[in-house]
């Protein structure tokens, strides 16, 4: 997060709405907030953080399996977002841009700490798409230790795709952009990863 004692920035004027009034930050799109952030608006940046911090924190913690390390990574992600704002190009795909930063910070964290980030992944499946309700019910009954162990048995690409899909709540096309893979490949990773989880958790059906 920017250090307000060091960043002596003056927020630029807010955009005007159709009636010539200053538009409120909560009503702005992500792209509009990024434009203001690039111009130095801490208020716009705080609005973006408020919108996405829960998802970024969830993905970070569940990717590394450590609340403390996950919070540190989330902090690093938002520092990186502040720094990257000037090079952001509005395209309506801000979540993809943000979670690419998450991916990069996870990789950097893994190199620094020499830890198997994916091996410690923790997943909490929420709001699965149709056809996966049975898995949600089964996982809800499993304790955290068994789930953590099962995810540790998956390879990195399957783990990453599942975490971004269910913890990051990202659509397949945005996961494809983050992972630099075709959408069909991402769907396959999620599908096969979930099948492996079923087997590892004792549900081979």
């Amino acid at each position: 997060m920017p250090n307000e004692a060091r960043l002596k920035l003056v927020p630029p004027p807010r955009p005007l709405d159709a009636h010539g009034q200053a538009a409120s930050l909560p009503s702005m799109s992500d792209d509009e907030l990024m434009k203001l952030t690039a111009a130095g608006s801490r208020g716009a940046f705080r609005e973006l953080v408020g919108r996405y911090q829960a998802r970024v924190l969830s993905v970070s913690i569940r990717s590394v399996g450590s609340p403390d390390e996950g919070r540190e990574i989330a902090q690093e992600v938002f520092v990186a977002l502040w720094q990257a704002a000037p090079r952001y190009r509005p395209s309506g795909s801000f979540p993809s841009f943000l979670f690419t930063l998450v991916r990069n910070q996870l990789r950097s964290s893994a190199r620094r700490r020499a830890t198997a980030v994916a091996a410690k992944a923790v997943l909490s499946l929420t709001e699965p798409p149709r056809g996966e309700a049975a898995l949600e019910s089964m996982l809800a009954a499993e304790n955290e230790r068994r789930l953590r162990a099962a995810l540790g048995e998956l390879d990195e690409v399957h783990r990453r795709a599942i975490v971004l899909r269910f913890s990051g709540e990202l659509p397949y096309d945005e996961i494809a952009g983050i992972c630099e893979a075709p959408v069909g490949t991402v769907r396959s990773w999620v599908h096969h990863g979930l099948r492996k989880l079923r087997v590892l958790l004792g549900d081979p059906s």
Side-chain angles (χ1 to χ4, degrees):
M1 238 51 88
N3 186 329
E4 295 195 13
R6 293 165 49 197
L7 295 175
K8 300 189 181 302
L9 303 171
V10 177
R14 294 179 179 178
L16 301 181
D17 60 21
H19 303 289
Q21 301 298 317
S24 65
L25 294 175
S27 69
M28 293 182 189
S29 69
D30 295 339
D31 283 351
E32 289 172 331
L33 291 172
M34 279 296 284
K35 183 176 181 180
L36 289 177
T37 298
S41 172
R42 292 188 294 272
F45 178 72
R46 283 193 293 269
E47 177 67 25
L48 282 169
V49 172
R51 289 182 186 183
Y52 289 95
Q53 62 182 349
R55 290 167 64 183
V56 169
L57 187 59
S58 176
V59 169
S60 299
I61 291 175
R62 287 164 179 157
S63 293
V64 300
S66 165
D68 288 341
E69 187 175 354
R71 282 190 286 270
E72 182 179 343
I73 290 170
Q75 283 284 98
E76 292 170 349
V77 167
F78 286 113
V79 169
L81 178 65
W82 173 265
Q83 295 171 341
R87 70 171 187 269
Y88 178 75
R89 296 295 176 265
S91 62
S93 60
F94 174 76
S96 180
F97 181 84
L98 176 61
F99 281 95
T100 296
L101 296 179
V102 175
R103 181 198 65 182
N104 292 342
Q105 290 301 323
L106 285 170
R107 288 178 174 176
S108 296
S109 176
R111 287 193 296 268
R112 288 196 308 270
R113 296 167 179 80
T115 57
V117 172
K120 297 181 179 179
V122 177
L123 173 68
S124 175
L125 290 179
T126 58
E127 300 181 6
R130 186 171 53 187
E132 291 163 0
L135 178 63
E136 178 195 25
S137 177
M138 190 248 323
L139 289 180
E142 297 292 338
N143 61 50
E144 184 175 309
R145 182 191 62 79
R146 288 191 62 205
L147 183 56
R148 188 192 303 260
L151 284 162
E153 294 295 320
L154 298 182
D155 57 65
E156 183 178 355
V157 294
H158 290 145
R159 252 191 314 270
R160 183 193 306 155
I162 289 173
V163 168
L164 288 173
R165 174 65 175 151
F166 296 107
S167 295
E169 303 176 15
L170 294 180
Y172 286 108
D173 59 340
E174 291 187 5
I175 299 173
I178 292 169
C179 296
E180 300 177 347
V183 173
T185 299
V186 172
R187 289 183 180 274
S188 177
W189 287 343
V190 172
H191 175 72
H192 290 294
L194 291 176
R195 280 181 54 186
K196 290 180 180 180
L197 276 181
R198 290 189 179 98
V199 173
L200 290 166
L201 291 170
D203 178 23
S205 59

